Amino acid sequence: MNTTPGASPKDLRNRLVDAILEEDNSGLRDARVETAMRAVPRHAFLPDAPVEEAYANKSVTIKENPDEDALPLSCASQPDVVHFMLVQLAVREGDNVFEIGAGTGYNAALLKHLTGPSGQVTTCDIDPDVTAYARRMLDANGYGDVRVVTRDGALGSPEFSPYDRMIAAVGMWDLPGAWWDQLAVGGRLVVPLRWRGLSRSVAFRREKDRMRSDSVKMCGFLPVIGQDGERNGYIDDDRLVRLYWDEDQSVAPELLRDALTQAKSVVWTDETVGPVESFDGVWLRLSATERATCRITARPAAMEAGLHHPASPALSPALVEGDSIAYLTLERAAENSGAEPRFRLGAVGYGPAGADLAERICVQIRAWSPARAVEPVVTAFPADTPDSDLVDGAVIDRPSVRLVITY
């Protein structure tokens, strides 16, 4: 995006929105959200950031973590993610909206713009420093009628419910029971939901006894404080290769210490992707078919030491069973002169069952390829729902909810 020095904040804001719309391939559009993002001045909620940085398509940290190795405590979300999540939310004039994760107050201002004078917006955060900042920014920019409360977002704000719309700006591993009680039947919930090592913005419609998704999009958010169902651990002595999994999965990193030192099994498919083409759907399909699905990350030194290259070293899907592991990989395919490069997808396995795990990943690559844009349906049921009342699909149990992932 062109951020020419001397350009006005309004010009920079319009260029940012233009770039988001031009580069967006999610298929999500809402003229009202576009209008709101052109009207609400993001830079005014980031007074310590240069105006060019405020209108760059990136997140901005507003509260660092005292632990230098940990994620920040609060950020202003990346604008293109703000855009598609608001489109997913489909706010109407007059709606009563609840937001979890106050951030800078900017997103709450956008929500208030969308609800109009007759609507209500309540934003909350567990950190009093964050809510104090959001309160100052909202007041300074003419949004004094937005409510800001300091509390655990999992509790909601029952005193202002029921809500027509709820949105979380933090990564959630579970869907708290209070949200079910406070979201009106027919209402919508948009939440960055985490399962099997991945994170997706899921737009749910609240029904009487369940919530059912109609949109599932890639996103990344800081995890909410207080939900600790995710686990992680290194599987090599040099601490270069790390796994992330859920507490209901049987993953023992110590059993994999020897696996990466053994001969590998590489299995290839005939499916290919272009340089910027997403293969994210493979991971989603694995999560709906393989209980052993988790995430692997590998530092560059791991590849230099001989580890076969994961498809995305920072976050790739893997299957782990006992002392064996396999993960998604790719390699440049043979090509004709002048043609756009293509990359062949496959899987690499280590350990006694590595070849079998790799083939199981390839089965899902082949299932994904003919219908690459198809999204799963994520259905959430209260935790006490019996099996007989669930829909078909992969069931993932959490303390407050039973998730079913269905293709």
Side-chain angles (χ1 to χ4, degrees):
M1 185 185 73
N2 182 2
T3 55
T4 306
S8 71
K10 181 178 180 180
D11 287 341
L12 293 174
R13 187 159 61 252
N14 282 326
R15 291 173 189 173
L16 171 62
V17 176
D18 290 343
I20 290 172
L21 295 175
E22 181 180 346
E23 296 170 9
D24 177 56
N25 58 7
S26 69
L28 298 174
R29 289 288 188 276
D30 186 329
R32 295 183 67 243
V33 173
E34 177 186 345
T35 298
M37 293 191 70
R38 293 187 190 277
V40 178
R42 187 175 191 247
H43 72 283
F45 291 82
L46 295 166
D48 296 330
V51 66
E52 292 81 7
E53 182 177 353
Y55 291 114
N57 191 23
K58 64 179 184 179
S59 61
V60 178
T61 298
I62 62 170
K63 185 173 183 181
E64 294 284 2
N65 197 313
D67 182 350
E68 294 182 358
D69 294 328
L71 295 169
L73 293 175
S74 184
C75 288
S77 300
Q78 190 166 304
D80 60 349
V81 176
V82 171
H83 171 263
F84 78 69
M85 288 183 69
L86 289 178
V87 176
Q88 286 181 307
L89 192 61
V91 176
R92 305 161 301 183
E93 287 197 28
D95 274 347
N96 185 17
V97 183
F98 181 66
E99 178 189 34
I100 303 96
T104 64
Y106 169 67
N107 204 58
L110 290 168
L111 290 168
K112 183 56 186 171
H113 190 281
L114 290 166
T115 66
S118 62
Q120 302 177 61
V121 175
T122 304
T123 185
C124 86
D125 204 283
I126 197 171
D127 190 323
D129 291 340
V130 172
T131 53
Y133 180 99
R135 179 75 276 166
R136 289 197 306 272
M137 294 300 101
L138 287 162
D139 288 347
N141 289 285
Y143 294 94
D145 54 349
V146 172
R147 302 186 188 103
V148 181
V149 296
T150 304
R151 71 178 57 152
D152 184 346
L155 302 176
S157 268
E159 63 270 36
F160 305 121
S161 68
Y163 298 104
D164 304 296
R165 299 290 188 267
M166 298 179 73
I167 184 169
V170 288
M172 301 296 298
W173 186 79
D174 194 8
L175 299 181
W179 294 8
W180 291 82
D181 299 333
Q182 296 172 36
L183 181 61
V185 173
R188 293 181 68 80
L189 166 67
V190 174
V191 55
L193 192 58
R194 304 163 72 90
W195 74 92
R196 301 306 187 236
L198 53 78
S199 176
R200 299 296 178 270
S201 178
V202 182
F204 288 106
R205 185 179 185 277
R206 171 80 155 93
E207 300 174 7
K208 183 179 179 181
D209 62 347
R210 69 194 68 185
M211 298 188 198
R212 188 177 188 276
S213 75
D214 56 24
S215 176
V216 179
K217 302 298 180 185
M218 185 186 297
C219 72
F221 272 85
L222 300 176
V224 71
I225 295 172
Q227 292 188 355
D228 57 357
E230 294 174 291
R231 304 286 183 263
N232 69 84
Y234 291 99
I235 61 173
D236 67 319
D237 292 333
D238 296 323
R239 298 173 67 83
L240 300 175
V241 184
R242 199 172 192 175
L243 289 181
Y244 296 79
W245 67 95
D246 293 327
E247 66 178 9
D248 65 314
Q249 295 176 285
S250 300
V251 175
E254 64 274 9
L255 296 181
L256 297 166
R257 295 284 178 182
D258 294 333
L260 298 184
T261 66
Q262 300 174 20
K264 61 191 176 190
S265 300
V266 183
V267 182
W268 293 107
T269 71
D270 294 327
E271 315 305 333
T272 63
V273 293
V276 296
E277 187 177 355
S278 173
F279 44 85
D280 171 65
V282 175
W283 198 341
L284 285 168
R285 283 191 176 271
L286 283 167
S287 78
T289 56
E290 293 281 357
R291 184 174 177 81
T293 302
C294 56
R295 169 161 59 107
I296 187 171
T297 66
R299 296 182 180 178
M303 273 74 77
E304 295 169 5
L307 182 74
H308 201 94
H309 202 290
S312 173
L315 66 169
S316 284
L319 297 182
V320 174
E321 289 185 350
D323 57 356
S324 301
I325 182 172
Y327 52 83
L328 187 69
T329 189
L330 53 74
E331 69 173 8
R332 188 161 181 155
E335 58 188 91
N336 297 324
S337 177
E340 179 185 68
R342 303 289 295 177
F343 297 86
R344 182 169 62 151
L345 296 176
V348 57
Y350 296 86
D356 175 65
L357 294 174
E359 179 55 43
R360 283 157 56 183
I361 292 176
C362 289
V363 167
Q364 296 310 316
I365 295 173
R366 298 183 188 104
W368 157 82
S369 187
R372 300 187 178 194
V374 172
E375 297 174 351
V377 173
V378 182
T379 310
F381 294 86
D384 59 357
T385 304
D387 289 350
S388 58
D389 290 345
L390 300 178
V391 297
D392 292 337
V395 180
I396 301 175
D397 285 317
R398 299 288 159 82
S400 301
V401 72
R402 306 192 75 183
L403 299 174
V404 184
I405 319 297
T406 307
Y407 272 93

